[in-house]
Amino acid sequence: MGIKFREARIEDYDQMYRLWGTTEGMGLSNSDTKENIERFLKKNPGLNYICEDDGKIIGTILCGEDGRRGYLYHLAVDKKCRRNGIGEKLVNLVLNSLKEKSIIKCHLFVYCENEIGKTFWEKTGWYKRDELLIYSKDIK
């Protein structure tokens, strides 16, 4: 069977969540429940992908859009499978899908201490924005 890329489905959730949980620098929260991810996938068709090798998920990327901008989440590649272009291919699949929707800019969030993530994004042509801050509020 080998490596293949395809759109993520909610049936992939358990494998995706396991991969996210073993990926250093990945932030997981209550927003990552199966119900919330299912809602996210339904709201953003054609923007979320996985890479699998013989049925085992070895890479994921989530993306949402608001009609103006795209937002990437949860890019993860199994540690044993890195440096083979999987992460870059997942990102390009999403960027091409955004382009088809006439979205011309995409953002992502990286934890300050996530050196592996920062290095990947900079090496693949993304630039850090020093003029922006992110603010959050829990809605209860």
Side-chain angles (χ1 to χ4, degrees):
M1 190 172 177
I3 289 179
K4 76 175 192 179
F5 295 83
R6 64 169 172 79
E7 192 167 349
R9 302 184 294 252
I10 195 56
E11 295 81 19
D12 301 318
Y13 176 80
D14 291 335
Q15 282 194 66
M16 293 188 324
Y17 194 86
R18 269 193 300 278
L19 177 59
W20 299 337
T22 60
T23 300
E24 63 279 5
M26 179 77 58
L28 297 174
S29 70
N30 292 337
S31 297
D32 297 305
T33 64
K34 187 172 187 176
E35 295 77 20
N36 287 334
I37 295 298
E38 183 172 26
R39 193 167 42 250
F40 187 85
L41 294 175
K42 285 180 181 175
K43 186 176 181 337
N44 298 286
L47 293 175
N48 301 280
Y49 294 91
I50 60 106
C51 175
E52 58 186 353
D53 186 8
D54 290 328
K56 180 185 178 206
I57 293 177
I58 59 171
T60 68
I61 192 166
L62 299 181
C63 180
E65 56 94 356
D66 62 12
R68 297 177 39 233
R69 304 280 190 261
Y71 301 90
L72 297 185
Y73 308 93
H74 292 9
L75 173 65
V77 176
D78 186 297
K79 202 177 255 186
K80 296 175 288 223
C81 302
R82 292 182 186 161
R83 301 197 183 277
N84 290 308
I86 293 169
E88 208 165 342
K89 171 77 172 171
L90 287 165
V91 171
N92 287 332
L93 284 168
V94 168
L95 294 180
N96 287 333
S97 295
L98 288 171
K99 190 175 183 179
E100 288 174 11
K101 295 175 177 272
S102 300
I103 305 290
I104 60 171
K105 185 171 277 246
C106 189
H107 301 293
L108 57 93
F109 305 96
V110 179
Y111 283 111
C112 293
E113 67 276 1
N114 183 351
E115 296 302 323
I116 292 171
K118 291 189 296 189
T119 298
F120 171 82
W121 293 113
E122 289 170 11
K123 280 186 175 180
T124 56
W126 293 70
Y127 56 92
K128 184 177 147 205
R129 302 280 301 264
D130 291 323
E131 75 277 16
L132 297 174
L133 297 174
I134 182 171
Y135 290 82
S136 300
K137 182 173 184 165
D138 292 336
I139 304 170
K140 298 178 184 182

